[in-house]
Amino acid sequence: MTERQPLLLQSEATGSEERQPPRPDVRSSPENILVNVQSDDSYGTGSNESLEKSTYNPSLHRTLEHPTSNFDTLVHLLKGNIGTGILAMPDAFKNAGLYVGLFGTLLMGAICTHCMHMLVKCSHELCRRLQQPSLSFSEVAFCSFETGPSGLRRYSHVARRMITTFLFITQMGFCCVYFVFVAFNIKEVVDHYFPHNYISVKVYLTLILLPMIPLNLVRNLKYLTPVSLAAAVLTILGLAFSFFYILQDLPATNTVKPVATWAQLPLYFGTAIYAFEGIGVILPLENNMKRPEDFGGSTGVLNTGMTIVACLYTTVGFFGYLKYGENVKGSITLNLPPDQFISQMVRIAMAVAIFLSYTLQFYVPVNIVEPFVRNQCEEQRTKELASTALRVTLVVFTFLLAVCIPNLGPIISLVGAVSSSALALIAPPIIEIITFYPIGLGKYNWVLWKDIAILLFGLCGFFFGTYASLDQILNPGIN
């Protein structure tokens, strides 16, 4: 998910395990464009009229307040996938080698895109089966188990909780990365102009916490629209100037490693999957399109957007690592020449952009936990105080995580290996197997074998990436 445009997430996970009729969610994104919509039908009202089910078209039963065009959806898809991960791609290439990183990133992009198609396909099948206009990620997981093999139906609520939990972990991880990113970039600028006044990065983290708390007490999303716009403009400017510096005086390709060691590859996996994990926005985007039939297909919005994303990530990673070699840092902005005023402005611009984006990322974990906390209180005043305390607690929690792990590269890899791989590579094949098990998995069960291969790939990345990231965090001096 977002830095994957987190405002697209539904708040269906509120701790209640009863299946209730889903209703339209009219909460808007900062741009007031995307709205998740559900019907008033319940999941359990299965009809015995198979013909009616087979001809049911979910997109024809959606009531959209602000439907998005193909171009709007493409822009949101790009925004949902391009964040701090793109700045960490040169560091990912360092852990893979120039050519392994080149082809590995393209392959990772292809696999992640295919998993996104899988999720959309399963959503369509389950919508037709249950005659629902649309489903969210966690609802797809729930319904796949609920309508799958009878022995697995008891785990439907567990599946929904697992997806919601990993979404929560992912967004909290993003918030932690944002704290570290902002602190390191500001520290680089201050250290350059005041070299004799050394200040620990933990001091910068504390200074960032002070304005971060009141900023995240804002609950009305419409007030975040200027914040989102400012962050987007600063991000575009920062990336443009970073490209300018990266492409200056490039050395020969034989000056860097073509292939890294096996021990470093898990770190590459974690960082790369962190960058590509935009699967959380896929269903909300497709659900809110004016012409959802244009989302899939070989030349559809999804393939077009992800091709652009994969090319951008590969380009930044390839040339960033080629430019700075083994000296590349966790964010490419930290490698920009310190003696040039423009490069210092780039650091400040990206730091401010990520600082402002924190609030948008923070919306998801709050949206997941806040309903449960409010339900524990009876009076309205107590509910408001509990919500405020929750927001302050979660901000401070991400701050404490950043203080404990003030190392940008390993923490990005850890977040990617733990939560991003679970959502992008592990959950989709499981959901597809269970969804289509009752009606067949293709000739010779090729869908089953394909999904098992992707699942094993994701599990390997999950365990080995997590181990390597934790090892680097606990032993930072060992490469």
Side-chain angles (χ1 to χ4, degrees):
M1 256 341 249
T2 239
E3 34 214 323
R4 321 295 190 213
Q5 197 62 20
L7 307 181
L8 300 173
L9 178 70
Q10 289 184 328
S11 60
E12 76 283 351
T14 62
S16 173
E17 297 301 333
E18 297 181 0
R19 291 185 293 168
Q20 300 176 350
R23 299 188 179 276
D25 184 354
V26 297
R27 183 175 60 249
S28 305
S29 72
E31 293 79 15
N32 197 29
I33 292 178
L34 301 178
V35 180
N36 278 330
V37 193
Q38 303 293 345
S39 75
D40 289 331
D41 300 323
S42 66
Y43 291 136
T45 58
S47 172
N48 293 326
E49 302 176 3
S50 59
L51 180 60
E52 181 181 353
K53 286 186 177 182
S54 63
T55 58
Y56 181 83
N57 188 341
S59 63
L60 299 180
H61 295 78
R62 296 171 183 170
T63 304
L64 302 177
E65 183 176 335
H66 300 287
T68 56
S69 65
N70 291 358
F71 179 76
D72 292 335
T73 305
L74 177 63
V75 171
H76 281 280
L77 180 62
L78 294 176
K79 287 176 61 180
N81 280 274
I82 298 176
T84 53
I86 191 173
L87 301 174
M89 286 308 296
D91 183 57
F93 270 62
K94 181 183 73 173
N95 291 317
L98 189 65
Y99 295 113
V100 173
L102 173 63
F103 296 107
T105 302
L106 294 174
L107 177 62
M108 187 84 72
I111 294 175
C112 289
T113 303
H114 177 68
C115 288
M116 293 173 183
H117 280 289
M118 289 162 53
L119 186 62
V120 173
K121 180 182 176 182
C122 292
S123 175
H124 288 173
E125 170 63 25
L126 293 168
C127 284
R128 283 192 293 268
R129 191 179 299 174
L130 301 169
Q131 299 198 22
Q132 293 289 307
S134 62
L135 295 170
S136 69
F137 196 166
S138 58
E139 288 169 345
V140 168
F142 172 82
C143 294
S144 66
F145 278 79
E146 190 76 356
T147 62
S150 57
L152 297 177
R153 293 176 185 177
R154 70 184 72 175
Y155 303 110
S156 57
H157 293 295
V158 175
R160 178 162 56 188
R161 286 194 216 105
M162 291 293 291
I163 295 298
T164 303
T165 299
F166 278 112
L167 285 171
F168 178 85
I169 294 173
T170 299
Q171 294 303 135
M172 291 296 284
F174 289 160
C175 291
C176 182
V177 169
Y178 282 18
F179 253 114
V180 178
F181 179 91
V182 175
F184 267 98
N185 278 274
I186 293 178
K187 183 179 185 302
E188 285 286 319
V189 176
V190 174
D191 286 351
H192 173 70
Y193 290 105
F194 303 97
H196 301 296
N197 298 326
Y198 175 80
I199 302 177
S200 170
V201 68
K202 296 181 180 179
V203 175
Y204 291 99
L205 288 168
T206 305
L207 294 176
I208 295 168
L209 174 66
L210 299 179
M212 193 72 84
I213 291 177
L215 183 63
N216 284 278
L217 295 180
V218 178
R219 302 181 187 180
N220 195 328
L221 299 181
K222 71 178 182 179
Y223 297 134
L224 298 179
T225 301
V227 172
S228 177
L229 179 61
V233 172
L234 290 173
T235 300
I236 293 173
L237 292 175
L239 288 175
F241 280 105
S242 296
F243 262 116
F244 171 79
Y245 282 108
I246 289 174
L247 297 177
Q248 299 295 312
D249 302 322
L250 287 171
T253 56
N254 59 9
T255 59
V256 295
K257 297 181 300 186
V259 179
T261 63
W262 283 100
Q264 292 177 285
L265 285 179
L267 294 172
Y268 161 77
F269 173 88
T271 304
I273 196 63
Y274 171 95
F276 274 114
E277 201 282 303
I279 198 168
V281 304
I282 296 304
L283 290 181
L285 287 175
E286 194 268 347
N287 291 341
N288 287 273
M289 287 185 68
K290 186 183 300 182
R291 299 176 58 187
E293 63 274 11
D294 293 339
F295 189 74
S298 58
T299 58
V301 174
L302 179 56
N303 280 354
T304 301
M306 292 307 297
T307 298
I308 295 173
V309 169
C311 291
L312 278 175
Y313 282 176
T314 304
T315 302
V316 173
F318 184 89
F319 290 109
Y321 176 52
L322 181 61
K323 172 73 173 181
Y324 299 109
E326 296 303 307
N327 295 320
V328 71
K329 298 181 180 179
S331 170
I332 195 63
T333 56
L334 300 176
N335 285 103
L336 300 182
D339 56 343
Q340 296 189 22
F341 177 77
I342 294 180
S343 66
Q344 298 293 3
M345 290 300 99
V346 169
R347 289 193 180 94
I348 294 176
M350 292 303 296
V352 173
I354 298 304
F355 176 84
L356 296 177
S357 299
Y358 180 100
T359 305
L360 305 180
Q361 304 303 322
F362 185 73
Y363 180 84
V364 173
V366 169
N367 194 41
I368 291 174
V369 180
E370 189 174 39
F372 174 79
V373 173
R374 292 176 68 91
N375 289 338
Q376 308 306 309
C377 307
E378 296 182 359
E379 298 182 1
Q380 184 61 29
R381 175 178 172 80
T382 308
K383 291 178 182 288
E384 296 301 321
L385 290 175
S387 296
T388 300
L390 172 66
R391 289 171 176 268
V392 173
T393 300
L394 290 180
V395 173
V396 173
F397 178 69
T398 59
F399 159 76
L400 293 176
L401 285 178
V403 170
C404 294
I405 317 173
N407 194 338
L408 191 59
I411 195 173
I412 287 178
S413 181
L414 179 63
V415 173
V418 173
S419 55
S420 298
S421 61
L423 293 175
L425 296 176
I426 297 176
I430 294 176
I431 291 174
E432 184 175 53
I433 291 173
I434 296 175
T435 298
F436 290 97
Y437 180 84
I439 59 178
L441 294 170
K443 189 175 182 180
Y444 304 117
N445 288 327
W446 72 269
V447 175
L448 175 64
W449 299 114
K450 178 262 298 180
D451 287 345
I452 289 177
I454 296 175
L455 177 61
L456 291 176
F457 176 68
L459 288 173
C460 289
F462 179 93
F463 289 110
F464 289 111
T466 301
Y467 173 81
S469 300
L470 289 174
D471 182 65
Q472 193 171 69
I473 290 172
L474 298 175
N475 303 287
I478 302 176
N479 292 325

